[in-house]
């Protein structure tokens, strides 16, 4: 079955830039999405179609794509950005959706 | 305001069945594809199933294929997940989620309903 691979954890100091990667063989063919989840809450979409930002999401959140890897970048990280982040995409046929294993962002 | 409210979770014995419901409001339910996504305690998000806007096309994760059935009643603005032959590893919070139009991702999530499979 298709898998997306994320690093388990990323740590940054406030004001620095955090980069979270997600790798998958079908990413050149399928859009990627990023979700933020804080403890006890439902996930929130922060990036769609690789690099688009939904309304209401701060400009410090951005996404990019290169080959089989997509990256979520959070510029000028704030304490409130501490959360779990998940990438999501589909297999090459578009039939099955999949989430990455999640990355815990810690703001030091 | 878009709202997705899940119900039907609870404690069930291994091998048992449960039907989850998701009541949708605040949008034209019949125009949107819908998903079920689950999250075991302390674990990550796992996609379970999706259904297209008129219910004619469905898809399932390998781990639930043949045991779970997704369906919808557009007249009642309700999404369902029938879960049979439940296993301990199905224990999770189950989220109902809306897929946005034009590849916009999963743009709205419910608050989830907890399913616990245990004897």
């Amino acid at each position: 079955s298709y898998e997306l691979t994320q690093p388990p954890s990323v740590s940054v100091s406030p004001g620095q830039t955090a980069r979270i990667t997600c790798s998958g063989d079908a990413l050149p063919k399928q859009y990627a999405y990023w979700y933020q989840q804080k403890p006890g809450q439902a996930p929130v979409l922060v990036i769609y179609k690789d690099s688009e930002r939904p309304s209401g999401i701060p400009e410090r959140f951005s996404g990019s794509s290169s080959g089989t890897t997509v990256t979520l970048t959070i510029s000028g990280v704030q304490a409130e950005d501490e959360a779990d982040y998940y990438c999501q995409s589909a297999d090459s046929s578009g039939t099955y959706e999949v989430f990455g294993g999640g990355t815990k962002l810690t703001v030091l | 305001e878009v709202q997705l409210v899940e119900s039907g979770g609870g404690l069930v014995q291994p091998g048992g069945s449960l039907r989850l419901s998701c009541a949708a409001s605040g949008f034209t339910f019949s125009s949107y594809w819908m998903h079920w996504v689950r999250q075991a305690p302390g674990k990550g998000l796992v996609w379970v199933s999706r259904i297209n806007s008129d219910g004619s096309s469905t898809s399932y994760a390998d781990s639930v294929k043949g045991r779970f059935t997704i369906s919808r009643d557009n007249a009642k603005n309700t999404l369902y997940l029938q879960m049979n032959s439940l296993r301990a590893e199905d224990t999770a919070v189950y989220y109902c989620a809306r897929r946005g139009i034009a590849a916009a991702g999963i743009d709205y999530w419910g608050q989830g309903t907890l399913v616990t499979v245990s004897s």
Side-chain angles (χ1 to χ4, degrees), chain A residues 1 31 33 35 37 40-45 48-49 84 86 88 94-101, chain B residues 35 37 39 43-47 50 59-60 62 65 95 99 102-107 109-111:
Chain A
S1 60
Y31 285 126
Y33 304 86
Y35 303 89
Q37 187 181 35
Q41 298 182 17
V44 173
L45 179 68
Y48 67 99
K49 288 202 285 188
D84 294 324
Y86 297 89
Q88 179 245 319
T95 302
Y96 305 102
E97 307 285 342
V98 63
F99 286 91
Chain B
H35 295 272
V37 177
Q39 187 169 35
K43 302 296 184 181
L45 301 173
V46 175
W47 175 77
R50 67 101 176 123
S59 181
Y60 299 91
D62 288 345
K65 198 173 298 182
Y95 292 101
R99 191 178 101 161
I106 297 176
D107 58 357
W109 300 69
Q111 282 305 305

Side-chain angles (χ1 to χ4, degrees), chain A residues 3-96:
Chain A
E3 294 183 353
L4 296 174
T5 302
Q6 298 181 233
S9 63
V10 168
S11 299
V12 296
S13 298
Q16 290 189 326
T17 296
R19 294 180 179 86
I20 301 173
T21 59
C22 172
S23 299
D25 289 342
L27 288 176
K29 299 179 181 179
Q30 299 290 345
Y31 285 126
Y33 304 86
W34 289 95
Y35 303 89
Q36 176 194 69
Q37 187 181 35
K38 296 182 179 180
Q41 298 182 17
V44 173
L45 179 68
V46 294
I47 293 291
Y48 67 99
K49 288 202 285 188
D50 293 346
S51 59
E52 300 293 320
R53 193 173 52 252
S55 61
I57 300 301
E59 291 184 6
R60 63 180 181 274
F61 288 86
S62 63
S64 61
S65 175
S66 178
T68 59
T69 299
V70 293
T71 302
L72 172 69
T73 300
I74 310 172
S75 304
V77 166
Q78 301 182 7
E80 67 198 52
D81 299 329
E82 186 164 284
D84 294 324
Y85 290 85
Y86 297 89
C87 61
Q88 179 245 319
S89 188
D91 71 323
S92 57
S93 69
T95 302
Y96 305 102

Side-chain angles (χ1 to χ4, degrees), chain B:
Chain B
E1 177 192 7
V2 172
Q3 286 198 320
L4 299 170
V5 180
E6 303 94 337
S7 61
L11 176 64
V12 60
Q13 292 189 340
S17 298
L18 213 55
R19 188 175 84 154
L20 305 183
S21 298
C22 171
S25 61
F27 66 102
T28 305
F29 180 68
S30 59
S31 296
Y32 289 81
W33 292 33
M34 299 294 294
H35 295 272
W36 286 101
V37 177
R38 70 185 181 184
Q39 187 169 35
K43 302 296 184 181
L45 301 173
V46 175
W47 175 77
V48 173
S49 182
R50 67 101 176 123
I51 187 168
N52 70 346
S53 56
D54 66 7
S56 63
S57 174
T58 60
S59 181
Y60 299 91
D62 288 345
S63 59
V64 306
K65 198 173 298 182
R67 300 188 299 124
F68 289 12
T69 302
I70 190 172
S71 62
R72 64 192 298 160
D73 186 334
N74 285 344
K76 294 183 178 179
N77 292 339
T78 303
L79 176 72
Y80 302 102
L81 185 67
Q82 177 66 44
M83 304 186 295
N84 298 332
S85 303
L86 284 161
R87 308 166 180 167
E89 53 264 37
D90 295 318
T91 294
V93 172
Y94 284 74
Y95 292 101
C96 162
R98 187 184 89 166
R99 191 178 101 161
I101 300 293
I106 297 176
D107 58 357
Y108 283 94
W109 300 69
Q111 282 305 305
T113 186
L114 176 63
V115 172
T116 303
V117 184
S118 175
S119 55

